[in-house]
Structure formats: structure tokens, C-alpha cells
Amino acid sequence: MPGSLVLMGSGETSPTMVEVHRAVARGLRAGARAVLLDTPYAFQENAADISARARRYFARSVGLEVEVATGVTGADWVFSGPGSPTYALDRWAASGVAGDLRARVRSRQGVTVLASAAACTAGLATVPVYEIYKVGAEPHWREGIGLLEPLGLRAVLIPHFDNAEGGTHDTRYCYLGERRLSRMERELPSQTAVLGLDEHTALIIDLESEAVEVAGRGGLTVRRPGAVTVLPAGTRTSLAAVRDLAAGATSGTFAPPLPAASSAGGPAVTLEETIRSCEQLFKDAVGKPDLVAAARLVLDLEAEIVTWAADTEEDSGGVEQARELMRLLIARLGESAATAGLRPLVEPLLDLRAQLRGAGRYEVADALRAAMARGGVTVEDTPAGPRWSPATV
């Protein structure tokens, strides 16, 4: 069976990573045993719900029937994703799973997919993101499980590398930001590189051929003191080239091949992008007005919510944001429908009112405005001209 190591920066159970999962699962034998390691989030009260959503995702989107387990012995395909990196580290070290994962990579057997929190543990050191970002601990490293060293990579792996949730404060580099990451880099052992995986991006390593591919929406950043190289999505190269880059042997001269169409499919649209696009398109449709198109957009948004419902990343809040927008658009659609029905009657009356005001007949114009209010239409004079809306009850 072909061996692969797949590391994901985020989006591991979202539509953006479906083609990546399908690509690496194609080589599995019939009846292959697929295991979901729930350790990183096992401490959460909703752990069972996260597992159920992940299993539905892999069954429906990838065609894999996945069992939840605490070990990887006998598994052909192993996946682990969101949660706490340090919680997973402690349990995997105590149970022997860390050693089993290393053995899978060292023997170049089976498919191993680690994402988000689990991916954070793959290098020789791990970012304790919960302790630093949420609890306020001083920046420090924890020992990693060392999956990259059997591949000749002396590196740490940082997911969520291009995170921008902070808005006014720097949450790049798995919520560390530049200041903390720069400080922590100085504490790494000599000749250690930082491999940064952007969100909705995967690093796919074929353990047999040592071919490497970056797939998804972002890139892989190889960061060393004084040198930063970004391999964009679509890049295909060799593990030897990445090793040289991480070791500094080709720093400043390494040129990845021109981005090509990824075998794992092109970049998909994220839910956040869908929300922004839908809101703008809805606004344009209502402005025309084209209420049929506006209603269709609401239905499209509802379909996206269903598609993204399996996403197990707890911190994004994207699905709930989409639901809130859908409720708002439905309300706006109702208001627009009422307005559209009145427009053929109201706009001629507004033209008449403007003529009366232009002729100085303000008393009659005001009487017309009052009559419209009694009929259920509120008229407001603004610097840009009169604005009308159905009167609220």
C-alpha cells in the first residue's frame, strides 16, 4: 500500500479539503481500515458530536467509513485534527501512539493525515497554542512527536500560518503573531526551520517517491533566520528540495517549479468568502430590484450552510455567522417584496410631490406626504432626495 503523510493548516473537514482527501485515499485497498484519532478534542464536552460530524464528512464527501479509535495499530488510513496540541501530546506519549505514528512514517506505510492541532505536533517541537494565546503563558515550546525527522526534516510545523481572525492584532502563525514567533524561534535548537502551513492548505508527501505537493488555497512557508521562502499552492517538488531549503543549503537560490494544476484539485471557496459574496450579490439583486434572484441567493446560502455543517473547527464560528446572515436576508427579502409592490404607486406620487415643492406649494406637498403616511408609506427627505419605505406597525 502506498504511504503518504498529509499535513493540513486548517479546513480539514470543510469543502476546501475534499479533493485533497479524495486524492490521497484513492490508493487505499478495498476494505481498508480508516481510523479517526479523537485525542486532541477528547476533553471537550461536545467530543462525540465532533466525531459524528467528522465521520459523516468522510463518508459522504470522501467515501471512507471511519471508526473512532485511540490507537493506530492495524490502520491503513489515520486522521486526527482539531483540539489542543498539548493535550494530544501528553496522551499520545503516555499511550505509545506517538511512537506508532513515527513508525508509520519511518516504514513509509499507510496514509497519515494530521491537521490543525494534530499537525502542530508533527515536528520536533510544538506550539502550546491554548496555553499561550488563551491562558497567557509565556511563549515556549513543547516537545513534538517527531514525524518529520525520519524524512530528514529538522523542523517545527505551524498550522493556521496566515490566520487573520485578530483584525486589529496579529494572529498569524497559529495565533502567536510576529513578536512571539520571533522570540520563540531563537529558542529552537540550531539548524531548525519553521514550516508554516496556511489555512485551507495541505502539504502532501508521497513517502515512496518522496514527491511533495502543496495543495489548497495558501502556501507552505519555509522560515529560517534571515530567509523566508513561500511555496504557493500548486507547487510540486521533491522532498530533497524541501530538505535543502529547510537546512539552508539552497537559501536564496531555491526556485520552486511554476505553480501547476494540483492533482488534488484547485482552490475552493471558503465559507467566509461565500458569506461576503452572497451579501453583496443580494444587495445588488434587491437594488435592481430582482427579488427572484435575491430569493435564489438565500437558498444558495442555505445549501452552503448544509455543506459546511460537518466542519469540526470550533473557533471559526462560520456556520453560525452564515445562519445569522441568512435570517437577516430573509427579513430583508420580505421588506423588499413589500416595497416592490408599492413602487408603481409610490414613485409617481413622489414625482408629484417634488413638482408641488418646486412650485412652492409646500402645504399641498405636506398634505400629500401625510396622506401617504396614512396609507402605509413613510417619506423621509434627505440631502440625496426623498427616501421612502413601508411604514412600521
Side-chain angles (χ1 to χ4, degrees), residues 5 37 39-40 70-73 78 80 85-107 112 114 118 121-124 126 142-150:
L5 174 63
L37 283 177
T39 317
T70 57
V72 300
T73 303
V78 172
S80 193
T86 50
Y87 185 88
L89 280 173
D90 291 340
R91 272 73 191 165
W92 287 343
S95 65
V97 169
D100 293 340
L101 289 171
R102 282 192 297 271
R104 289 174 65 86
V105 175
R106 191 178 295 112
S107 66
T112 304
L114 301 182
T121 70
L124 60 84
T126 296
R142 284 283 305 274
E143 185 177 358
I145 60 176
L147 295 189
L148 301 177
E149 288 188 279

Side-chain angles (χ1 to χ4, degrees), residues 116-129:
S116 299
C120 201
T121 70
L124 60 84
T126 296
V127 175
V129 58

Side-chain angles (χ1 to χ4, degrees), residues 41-378:
Y41 59 84
F43 64 94
Q44 296 180 204
E45 290 295 323
N46 63 339
D49 178 60
I50 296 174
S51 294
R53 282 187 283 145
R55 293 186 68 211
R56 285 196 299 270
Y57 172 86
F58 287 114
R60 295 173 181 175
S61 300
V62 187
L64 276 179
E65 294 298 330
V66 176
E67 63 179 275
V68 179
T70 57
V72 300
T73 303
D76 301 299
W77 178 94
V78 172
F79 168 83
S80 193
S84 165
T86 50
Y87 185 88
L89 280 173
D90 291 340
R91 272 73 191 165
W92 287 343
S95 65
V97 169
D100 293 340
L101 289 171
R102 282 192 297 271
R104 289 174 65 86
V105 175
R106 191 178 295 112
S107 66
R108 311 291 173 112
Q109 295 295 309
V111 175
T112 304
V113 183
L114 301 182
S116 299
C120 201
T121 70
L124 60 84
T126 296
V127 175
V129 58
Y130 275 79
E131 292 82 348
I132 295 174
Y133 183 63
K134 294 192 174 182
V135 182
E138 284 296 304
H140 64 285
W141 296 98
R142 284 283 305 274
E143 185 177 358
I145 60 176
L147 295 189
L148 301 177
E149 288 188 279
L151 305 179
L153 281 171
R154 187 172 179 79
V156 299
L157 194 289
I158 300 183
H160 297 279
F161 205 67
D162 63 342
N163 180 272
E165 290 178 24
T168 57
H169 65 282
D170 190 0
T171 54
R172 293 172 298 167
Y173 319 139
C174 201
Y175 307 95
L176 291 177
E178 179 64 42
R179 179 183 62 83
R180 285 183 291 206
L181 177 59
S182 296
R183 171 180 167 180
M184 291 172 66
E185 282 177 312
R186 295 192 291 270
E187 299 172 1
L188 286 171
S190 177
Q191 303 300 310
T192 301
V194 169
L195 302 183
L197 260 179
D198 288 344
E199 297 185 329
H200 300 279
T201 305
L203 173 63
I204 306 169
I205 304 173
D206 186 312
L207 299 176
E208 183 177 0
S209 68
E210 294 202 343
V212 170
E213 180 177 359
V214 181
R217 296 187 50 81
L220 170 71
T221 298
V222 183
R223 177 166 159 148
R224 290 178 48 80
V228 175
T229 303
V230 179
L231 307 183
T235 296
R236 296 175 182 174
T237 186
S238 67
L239 186 56
V242 178
R243 276 196 294 259
D244 286 344
L245 190 60
T250 55
S251 178
T253 61
F254 178 87
L258 291 174
S262 166
S263 63
V269 177
T270 66
L271 183 57
E272 181 181 357
E273 290 169 333
T274 297
I275 290 172
R276 289 200 303 266
S277 174
C278 182
E279 192 165 16
Q280 183 58 52
L281 290 172
F282 182 91
K283 181 179 178 181
D284 294 343
V286 168
K288 287 182 178 179
D290 185 346
L291 300 189
V292 173
R296 189 177 296 117
L297 284 164
V298 174
L299 294 175
D300 290 345
L301 180 60
E302 193 272 339
E304 284 295 306
I305 291 172
V306 173
T307 300
W308 282 82
D311 191 0
T312 55
E313 286 195 271
E314 292 298 291
D315 291 335
S316 64
V319 171
E320 184 53 39
Q321 183 183 352
R323 289 194 181 103
E324 291 172 356
L325 175 61
M326 185 176 71
R327 288 191 288 268
L328 176 63
L329 296 188
I330 290 172
R332 288 179 180 172
L333 187 61
E335 294 169 359
S336 299
T339 301
L342 291 171
R343 182 172 281 110
L345 298 174
V346 172
E347 291 187 349
L349 293 176
L350 289 180
D351 290 340
L352 174 60
R353 181 171 177 266
Q355 294 173 23
L356 292 169
R357 288 167 62 86
R361 301 174 66 184
Y362 295 106
E363 184 177 347
V364 179
D366 289 344
L368 178 57
R369 176 180 177 179
M372 293 172 70
R374 290 194 298 274
V377 176
T378 298

